[in-house]
Amino acid sequence: MILYHYCSQQAFLEILKNKKIWLSGAHNMSDYMEGVWAENIMGEVLKSFIEKYDEEVIRTFIERYHHSKFSPFICCFSSNGDLLSQWRAYAEDGCGFAIGFESDYFKLSNDLPCMAFNDKTKLTLNKIEYDVERQKTTVSTFMESALDYVQAELRSTQLPITLIRGLDGLAGYAALAKNPAFSEEQEYRLVHMPMIIASKITNKTTDTVFACSEMKYRTSNNRIIPYFEYDFSQLMDKGSIVEIIAGPKNQTTDMDLRMLTGSSGYEATKIKRSSASYR
């Protein structure tokens, strides 16, 4: 499957030149309900369990969830390489590019995102879930598992191993459940969550463990955004970038693009132009 990363002309040049893509904090994305959307679903689903579990179990579950959740770093892709809304929102109003990556070459896990505890290259490639009913069903399954685990722990009974994934599952799924208003984007995302250690006194970051790169910072939309870099240069010989689509308002010539891709090591990359009649 080809997955497309929409970007500005400058970002396009940086990606081709450095052979790295950026994974930015999800809380800085265009959807201000990133993560919050899933928690709203959890709040709605939790009401159905009030009669089954006592107050202490539910309170402990909520505390455990907030302790286990994380803020992922992500890079967004779309399965559609020529979508007008994407050109407008993420590619300089149609002046940028959509870079087509062959997803099979990433060789990444499609498991639920989780905190990286033992692998600095731990990333997942996941499809976003927009269907609210499926979101509720998945959240309900993880939540019941987590509540059963908490209840067994509080009663000092044997803890079923199969239930331990409940809280982890909820935390990971929160990075993938999204407002259906964004469903047109047909999003997939690379998700990375290194262990970021900070001082409880000063809140200063003291260490970043199992990260795919050092944490860096950039400016965008009147804010400073932290990000990590994923180096895909080791995939070059496998043809990691298979297609480049120029936006509907992009005036870069095909000849110039072929010279750029050829000199950057992307000799077999197809060059296309958007079919959108947008100016």
Side-chain angles (χ1 to χ4, degrees):
M1 175 188 293
I2 300 177
L3 296 178
Y4 298 89
H5 179 65
Y6 288 78
C7 60
S8 67
Q9 293 189 18
Q10 185 59 46
F12 171 75
L13 284 174
E14 292 292 327
I15 291 171
L16 261 65
K17 174 185 174 183
N18 298 319
K19 300 174 179 58
K20 295 176 181 178
I21 50 180
W22 296 347
L23 299 111
S24 303
H27 57 283
N28 288 306
M29 298 294 111
S30 57
D31 179 6
Y32 65 83
M33 292 195 73
E34 282 282 357
V36 178
W37 177 265
E39 290 190 6
N40 289 343
I41 295 289
M42 292 178 203
E44 184 177 344
V45 171
L46 185 59
K47 295 176 184 177
S48 65
F49 290 116
I50 289 178
E51 294 184 1
K52 182 177 179 180
Y53 302 94
D54 62 37
E55 183 178 341
E56 183 183 14
V57 171
I58 292 177
R59 184 180 65 254
T60 303
F61 158 75
I62 293 173
E63 292 173 353
R64 296 280 179 83
Y65 171 74
H66 285 291
H67 180 73
S68 65
K69 70 178 183 178
F70 53 78
S71 297
F73 289 81
I74 65 175
C75 182
C76 301
F77 300 84
S78 173
S79 58
N80 190 330
D82 192 10
L83 194 58
L84 184 55
S85 61
Q86 294 284 84
W87 291 122
R88 286 172 167 168
Y90 306 114
E92 289 185 302
D93 194 35
C95 294
F97 294 89
I99 306 174
F101 289 86
E102 176 49 67
S103 61
D104 290 344
Y105 291 141
F106 283 121
K107 300 296 183 183
L108 301 171
S109 168
N110 59 1
D111 293 338
L112 280 175
C114 65
M115 185 78 73
F117 287 108
N118 56 12
D119 186 352
K120 68 179 181 179
T121 61
K122 177 69 174 179
L123 287 93
T124 58
L125 178 61
N126 303 96
K127 184 179 181 179
I128 294 301
E129 177 60 76
Y130 300 102
D131 187 277
V132 175
E133 291 307 312
R134 283 200 292 265
Q135 291 172 356
K136 290 180 180 178
T137 298
T138 301
V139 166
S140 180
T141 299
F142 282 129
M143 186 173 288
E144 186 169 23
S145 176
L147 286 164
D148 284 346
Y149 181 85
V150 170
Q151 180 172 263
E153 185 180 45
L154 292 176
R155 293 177 178 176
S156 299
T157 56
Q158 185 175 358
L159 301 178
I161 298 299
T162 56
L163 302 182
I164 295 177
R165 281 284 294 167
L167 283 170
D168 290 342
L170 284 172
Y173 191 68
L176 307 179
K178 198 166 181 176
N179 188 332
F182 288 85
S183 61
E184 185 188 40
E185 294 184 348
Q186 301 169 50
E187 184 184 345
Y188 286 73
R189 59 177 50 167
L190 282 179
V191 184
H192 180 47
M193 192 57 232
M195 186 185 301
I196 300 174
I197 303 172
S199 168
K200 292 183 178 180
I201 299 175
T202 65
N203 206 33
K204 178 181 178 181
T205 299
T206 57
D207 197 7
T208 305
V209 186
F210 309 129
C212 61
S213 75
E214 64 176 312
M215 183 183 286
K216 298 188 176 183
Y217 297 88
R218 62 186 178 89
T219 59
S220 178
N221 297 325
N222 302 315
R223 67 178 67 183
I224 296 175
I225 297 176
Y227 70 97
F228 293 93
E229 292 179 327
Y230 174 67
D231 186 339
F232 63 87
S233 60
Q234 73 275 11
L235 305 175
M236 288 295 295
D237 60 335
K238 299 178 180 179
S240 52
I241 294 180
V242 296
E243 189 171 273
I244 292 172
I245 302 176
K249 294 164 67 173
N250 191 319
Q251 298 182 32
T252 310
T253 67
D254 288 358
M255 182 179 68
D256 289 339
L257 281 174
R258 290 192 185 96
M259 287 193 295
L260 172 61
T261 55
S263 63
S264 302
Y266 306 95
E267 293 88 350
T269 301
K270 295 180 181 179
I271 305 296
K272 295 184 179 180
R273 308 201 75 84
S274 170
S275 62
S277 53
Y278 175 60
R279 64 183 181 185

